[in-house]
Amino acid sequence: MSALDRSTVHHYAKLANLAFSPEQADVMAHELASILEYVNKISELDLSDTEPTFSTFGQGCHTREDRTEEGLGAEEALRNAPDKESQHFLVPKMIHTRELK
Amino acid sequence: MTPLFESQVLAQLAQGEVTSDSLVKTCLQRIADQPELGAFLEIDEEGALAQAAEIDRRRSGGETLSPIAGVPVALKDNIHVRGRRTTCASRILADFVAPFDAHVVTKLKEAGAILIGKTNMDEFAMGSSTEYSALQVTRNPHHPERVPGGSSGGSAAAVAAGLVPLALGSSTGGSIRQPAAFCGVVGMKPTYGRVSRYGLVAYGSSLDQIGPIAADVTAAFELLHVIAGHDPKDSTSAQMGRDDLSLRVADPKGLRIGIPKDWLGDGLQPEIQQAMSRLTESFAAAGAEIVEVALPHSEYAIPAYYLVATAEASSNLARFDGVRYGYRATGAQNLKEMFVKTRSEGFGPEVKRRILLGTYCLSSGYYEGYYLNAQRVRTRISDDYRQAFGKVDAILAPTTPTTAFRFGEKTADPWTMYLDDIYTVTANLAGIPAISFPAGLDSQGLPIGLQLMAAPFDESKLFQVALNAENFIRTWR
């Protein structure tokens, strides 16, 4: 198992859109390493001939008929928005453009 | 302690001996009298009284109503009620107002249940003590220094303190049965697919189920019967309806009761072990056959559970990014920074820990060894149960290794808290129905919980045997 240190925590935190201070990352690394030690117990089993269970009882997923239904509507859908304008969600800018001369 | 509302209150309402208005007022008074319990996050006093008046009017007009019409039901705060807040006991959703009703809420409204309020829980249902609520502390009604269990701790405490007759919880790894056991009430996890999760905030989607919490087996059944059934809006909802569900009173003679002997060893509190023996003897004396069953993969259940549940959680909780709803951090310079700041400030430590673990075990290089192998362990656990239910009608087991623990006792080391789910997670992993019921008190006066498990979709058998168990235990008093 890979060693879990501060930098590993920062790497996975980045993937999960989370940030930790160096001190928090150390604590988290310690806790995760200890949890992984326990969960590694499953590696005792030879599971090569076992199919994974993604859904119990093989019901699978079923879909509804493709029929238009009344949705929330823009006003309702925007009601919880932290920031909005007319019919849009507002967010901080995501693309940094170079100033045009 | 205030006496609980047992199922007789349903009959009294139906027969007009009690009005819904008076029942709701009693509940509101009891809630107001016990603020230190911290079971509720929000009370809808006005709405509850208006609903009660409407039910009383309809009943006096001679209408035939559902057995739970006019009965106050508390909802765990991860279930949407249109126009009310759904916080999941998290900062990130502290001000979120649900724009639609969960399927179970639609069913409750149709049945005339009184939606009296929302209950506290571990943040996003991640925890076994309700200590991870970011909003408030909930105490065990039997002892103020003990946790109520979790994650549906508010719902269990509300029923156990006699604040409401019925409550809904949700279970991913034991979050209904464990708090029910700690608080001395009945808690039931239905078969995966039995109850729609539409409008339940998702945690581990291949495990989550909504289920009833009540003072007795009969009341829990009546609540399940209302919320069960197919819903086209949940793609995992079973196609079958709920017509097969019945509450049968039957002689236990000839029943085959399975006992997982390997579960009764080290780590089980002796008084819980004694309650197991006593109930087993009662079944045997009444003519039931006691059969030892092997569940050899149980020791891999907690590791498999924490891999599957956290992997699914890391994906499900990606939606909380401050764009469309919930908390948004201020001062971010760009979108990515806003995501990171929002999530880092909005989620509590246990949620972050699980998201991180889930992200790790889903990542390239670890997916096969962790996530996929955990799902394979799950197959083995389901196979164990399939074999067992070929030989027995139901399996009897402890719900928890100990009675309710103290605040802070298990928060220092996450794994010790996870181990509290040891007897409950297998039913979630295998998707089978299970019910926890009170089985006396330990020497400190804390409730002991035992559980029964049955084959998939055999809730009727499960409740039948649970009624037998409840009758035996009543003679213990």
Side-chain angles (χ1 to χ4, degrees):
Chain A
M1 230 25 71
S2 77
L4 237 160
D5 55 18
R6 185 190 288 184
S7 69
T8 325
V9 168
H10 284 312
H11 171 69
Y12 287 98
K14 200 174 159 190
L15 294 177
N17 278 331
L18 290 170
F20 295 98
S21 70
E23 295 73 31
Q24 289 171 329
D26 287 343
V27 173
M28 198 58 89
H30 173 75
E31 288 172 346
L32 285 185
S34 133
I35 294 170
L36 287 171
E37 213 178 293
Y38 290 113
V39 298
N40 279 333
K41 184 169 177 62
I42 66 169
S43 64
E44 290 172 7
L45 294 168
D46 175 11
L47 297 161
S48 52
D49 61 343
T50 308
E51 286 296 314
T53 295
F54 292 109
S55 175
T56 45
F57 317 130
Q59 299 152 22
C61 286
H62 45 79
T63 48
R64 333 192 258 284
E65 227 181 296
D66 190 11
R67 228 181 23 227
T68 337
E69 278 177 40
E70 195 71 27
L72 273 186
E75 197 186 326
E76 265 304 280
L78 285 161
R79 196 177 295 274
N80 281 289
D83 201 2
K84 62 193 166 189
E85 190 179 275
S86 134
Q87 299 218 332
H88 310 286
F89 294 101
L90 275 188
V91 295
K93 66 182 172 190
M94 61 180 96
I95 300 166
H96 296 269
T97 47
R98 263 185 230 146
E99 276 181 52
L100 293 173
K101 282 183 184 167
Chain B
M1 273 179 65
T2 319
L4 310 193
F5 289 112
E6 295 188 338
S7 47
Q8 288 87 324
V9 77
L10 274 61
Q12 289 169 340
L13 266 173
Q15 285 150 18
E17 293 165 23
V18 174
T19 64
S20 179
D21 181 71
S22 68
L23 183 57
V24 167
K25 282 177 177 156
T26 303
C27 292
L28 291 170
Q29 189 57 50
R30 289 183 182 182
I31 294 166
D33 287 346
Q34 298 186 60
E36 69 288 349
L37 197 66
F40 281 90
L41 290 173
E42 190 182 72
I43 303 288
D44 183 9
E45 186 168 335
E46 201 180 311
L49 288 168
Q51 289 172 52
E54 166 75 9
I55 290 299
D56 286 338
R57 190 186 57 73
R58 285 169 60 190
R59 199 182 311 271
S60 58
E63 247 184 87
T64 309
L65 300 170
S66 153
I68 68 159
V71 181
V73 181
L75 301 176
K76 186 176 181 178
D77 207 15
N78 57 355
I79 298 171
H80 291 327
V81 179
R82 187 187 156 92
R84 313 293 307 179
R85 289 197 305 167
T86 306
T87 66
C88 289
S90 179
R91 280 195 66 195
I92 211 161
L93 280 179
D95 298 313
F96 176 78
V97 176
F100 60 91
D101 281 333
H103 179 77
V104 294
V105 168
T106 304
K107 291 285 153 194
L108 288 174
K109 285 181 173 175
E110 284 169 8
I114 311 297
L115 305 179
I116 197 163
K118 308 294 285 291
T119 56
N120 198 22
M121 55 188 279
D122 285 295
E123 184 176 4
F124 284 102
M126 298 179 186
S128 308
S129 65
T130 312
E131 287 169 289
Y132 291 129
S133 167
L135 304 181
Q136 71 185 34
V137 174
T138 300
R139 299 184 183 279
N140 191 311
H142 290 263
H143 197 300
E145 279 152 36
R146 304 276 172 160
V147 301
S151 64
S152 312
S155 285
V159 173
L163 307 186
V164 282
L166 299 172
L168 285 183
S170 69
S171 170
T172 307
S175 281
I176 296 173
R177 284 163 289 155
Q178 189 258 19
F182 276 14
C183 291
V185 293
V186 172
M188 191 261 169
K189 183 202 88 74
T191 307
Y192 185 77
R194 177 63 92 172
V195 177
S196 166
R197 291 95 43 84
Y198 178 73
L200 169 74
V201 178
Y203 161 20
S205 304
S206 73
L207 303 159
D208 297 341
Q209 267 292 289
I210 298 171
I213 296 175
D216 57 33
V217 172
T218 303
F221 177 84
E222 296 298 352
L223 182 52
L224 173 68
H225 194 253
V226 167
I227 61 171
H230 179 64
D231 172 22
K233 288 200 171 91
D234 176 354
S235 67
T236 65
S237 164
Q239 291 286 3
M240 64 200 299
R242 52 168 192 170
D243 294 345
D244 66 302
L245 286 177
S246 64
L247 188 62
R248 285 194 297 259
V249 180
D251 192 324
K253 192 168 191 296
L255 275 179
R256 296 162 305 165
I257 305 290
I259 308 289
K261 197 161 168 270
D262 297 340
W263 289 19
L264 306 178
D266 292 343
L268 179 62
Q269 188 177 322
E271 290 154 303
I272 300 179
Q273 167 81 65
Q274 283 156 21
M276 268 295 292
S277 307
R278 198 167 173 190
L279 186 56
T280 307
E281 282 159 23
S282 299
F283 270 109
E289 188 188 342
I290 307 300
V291 184
E292 275 184 21
V293 293
L295 299 169
H297 293 89
S298 300
E299 60 178 316
Y300 302 99
I302 297 243
Y305 169 76
Y306 277 92
L307 289 166
V308 173
T310 58
E312 294 179 3
S314 72
S315 166
N316 274 326
L317 271 62
R319 72 191 62 175
F320 301 103
D321 56 11
V323 174
R324 290 159 299 161
Y325 38 69
Y327 172 76
R328 179 186 289 189
T330 52
Q333 296 303 307
N334 58 53
L335 190 62
K336 173 81 178 171
E337 201 183 311
M338 190 276 279
F339 291 161
V340 174
K341 266 176 78 78
T342 293
R343 290 166 60 80
S344 301
E345 292 171 15
F347 290 136
E350 180 61 20
V351 174
K352 288 182 197 170
R353 195 150 44 226
R354 295 197 192 191
I355 290 175
L356 212 56
L357 179 63
T359 307
Y360 183 85
C361 77
L362 281 178
S363 67
S364 153
Y366 297 110
Y367 174 80
E368 168 93 22
Y370 284 133
Y371 184 68
L372 221 48
N373 276 341
Q375 298 284 40
R376 291 186 174 113
V377 170
R378 203 169 166 184
T379 306
R380 296 277 186 92
I381 289 169
S382 298
D383 289 345
D384 288 349
Y385 275 112
R386 195 169 305 116
Q387 288 187 18
F389 289 124
K391 290 183 267 185
V392 299
D393 297 299
I395 294 174
L396 174 67
T399 309
T400 56
T402 67
T403 52
F405 48 86
R406 287 190 172 77
F407 286 97
E409 198 175 319
K410 298 198 176 184
T411 41
D413 175 4
W415 194 258
T416 59
M417 183 82 84
Y418 297 175
L419 283 178
D420 217 66
D421 300 334
I422 195 154
Y423 301 128
T424 53
V425 282
T426 52
N428 291 74
L429 287 167
I432 59 171
I435 186 167
S436 176
F437 46 88
L441 304 173
D442 72 3
S443 55
Q444 299 179 85
L446 298 169
I448 290 169
L450 300 179
Q451 65 173 332
L452 283 158
M453 293 169 271
F457 297 104
D458 207 358
E459 274 88 352
S460 297
K461 178 68 78 180
L462 183 71
F463 274 97
Q464 177 199 320
V465 183
L467 275 179
N468 294 142
E470 188 175 61
N471 283 333
F472 291 135
I473 292 164
R474 280 193 174 136
T475 67
W476 295 1
R477 286 174 190 169

